[in-house]
Amino acid sequence: MLSKVIAAFCIIDDALKALGHQDHPQTQVPSSAILTLALFASLELGGKHNKALALAKDLKLFRHLPSPSRFNRRLHALYPLLLPLLHLLSQAWKNLHQAQAYALDTFPLPACANIRAPRSKLFPEKVYRGFIPSQRVYFHGLKLHLLVDEKKFIHEVNLSPGSLHDLSSLLLLPLDLPEGARLYLDRGYESHLYEDLLGEAQGVVPMVIRRRNSRRYLPWMPYLAILGRRVVETVGSMLHTMFPKRIHAVTPRGFVIKVLSFVLAHNLSLLNLDGHM
């Protein structure tokens, strides 16, 4: 556990320097330590920041540790750096692994139980009411859009209201893929217009699980697409095991910060296992 924390701190500290982030001269706890504690909580403690601070104090990981309220304010102030940090880690991973197969999928993130949806203070609007076709149930919260490669590394992520269609992720994500890469998609992403745009603009080869009545249906395509999409389903399961039963947050930004912390913790664990720090 200590080796994971040390490796995460080194990677985050170097990444923040590469992003040009500088702490105030009078800051006793650097931003890299704040992010390390948040990712440590996501990786080992189900996202519970209070437990991470208490454990870090017992283990004497850092010379100075903030109070829980101060830690929460510092973490919210670092929110704009989370996506650039994910992008920087993605570029570092691409330099180490030249992947040619990617998969895109969407996962529901319920913010509360269905019975409490009309009284939800976190996401009160009806736009957050979504439907899970595979389970035939409704949920109230966000949708997590993930783009992963064949090594289970998450390259791009976005969060949208639960009512948005899965196809919206093709517009919300930049999809910065190498030319000639294969992109495995579920049947919910089938759109001939978007597929043609991906092929013409970026040279990406869409591999979609098509319906039998589709004009572009090929008998061998669904089998290959199902095999290629297994990696993103595995990543979704890995994130689900890291999530607590309910992601506790008081504000929508706090909810998003915790979700992005889980994604970054997943990527950092892969970098640590890969031996590149």
Side-chain angles (χ1 to χ4, degrees):
M1 182 177 64
L2 288 177
S3 61
K4 292 182 180 180
V5 176
I6 295 172
F9 176 78
C10 295
I11 295 174
I12 293 173
D13 190 63
D14 292 341
L16 290 181
K17 291 178 181 178
L19 292 174
H21 176 75
Q22 293 182 353
D23 291 320
H24 193 273
Q26 296 182 353
T27 302
Q28 293 183 338
V29 183
S31 299
S32 54
I34 298 295
L35 290 176
T36 299
L37 290 173
L39 300 187
F40 171 62
S42 301
L43 190 61
E44 300 289 344
L45 302 172
K48 296 178 176 60
H49 296 158
N50 291 343
K51 288 187 176 182
L53 288 171
L55 186 57
K57 183 178 180 180
D58 293 339
L59 297 177
K60 298 180 180 179
L61 292 178
F62 301 100
R63 181 177 299 178
H64 300 284
L65 287 174
S67 63
S69 60
R70 179 62 179 167
F71 173 83
N72 188 51
R73 292 193 298 270
R74 289 285 306 277
L75 184 59
H76 275 66
L78 295 172
Y79 167 72
L81 293 175
L82 295 181
L83 286 180
L85 182 60
L86 176 65
H87 177 71
L88 186 61
L89 295 179
S90 173
Q91 295 301 319
W93 181 268
K94 288 179 179 178
N95 292 333
L96 299 172
H97 303 277
Q98 298 294 330
Q100 287 296 322
Y102 295 81
L104 177 66
D105 204 356
T106 303
F107 302 92
L109 291 177
C112 64
N114 285 332
I115 196 171
R116 297 185 60 187
R119 305 188 302 275
S120 175
K121 295 182 179 179
L122 195 61
F123 301 107
E125 292 83 5
K126 291 185 178 180
V127 69
Y128 296 100
R129 188 70 169 168
F131 182 70
I132 309 176
S134 59
Q135 302 177 10
R136 297 183 180 180
V137 296
Y138 286 90
F139 74 98
H140 190 82
L142 301 176
K143 282 185 175 181
L144 176 63
H145 308 276
L146 296 178
L147 176 69
V148 305
D149 65 3
E150 52 197 11
K151 298 287 186 178
K152 304 177 185 177
F153 194 89
I154 301 174
H155 290 273
E156 297 178 11
V157 61
N158 203 343
L159 292 162
S160 65
S163 63
L164 263 67
H165 195 274
D166 294 351
L167 189 60
S168 61
S169 59
L170 291 178
L171 300 176
L172 295 173
L173 296 175
L175 295 180
D176 184 16
L177 305 178
E179 186 176 357
R182 301 182 303 276
L183 180 60
Y184 294 97
L185 303 168
D186 196 1
R187 57 175 53 90
Y189 297 93
E190 185 176 4
S191 172
H192 297 172
L193 174 62
Y194 292 160
E195 293 171 21
D196 294 339
L197 288 176
L198 284 174
E200 294 175 4
Q202 298 180 246
V204 177
V205 182
M207 305 286 287
V208 189
I209 303 177
R210 303 188 188 279
R211 299 173 177 85
R212 289 185 176 272
N213 59 354
S214 174
R215 290 177 297 173
R216 300 185 180 182
Y217 176 80
L218 297 173
W220 49 268
M221 180 69 75
Y223 176 74
L224 295 179
I226 290 173
L227 291 181
R229 285 191 68 259
R230 285 181 179 177
V231 62
V232 70
E233 295 173 354
T234 302
V235 172
S237 300
M238 295 171 67
L239 289 177
H240 188 266
T241 57
M242 295 168 60
F243 289 161
K245 188 175 181 180
R246 286 280 181 250
I247 299 178
H248 175 71
V250 180
T251 62
R253 172 174 282 196
F255 189 90
V256 174
I257 287 175
K258 283 201 170 183
V259 174
L260 294 180
S261 298
F262 283 112
V263 173
L264 287 171
H266 168 82
N267 283 349
L268 284 176
S269 64
L270 291 182
L271 285 170
N272 189 21
L273 291 175
D274 197 61
H276 301 285
M277 295 185 294

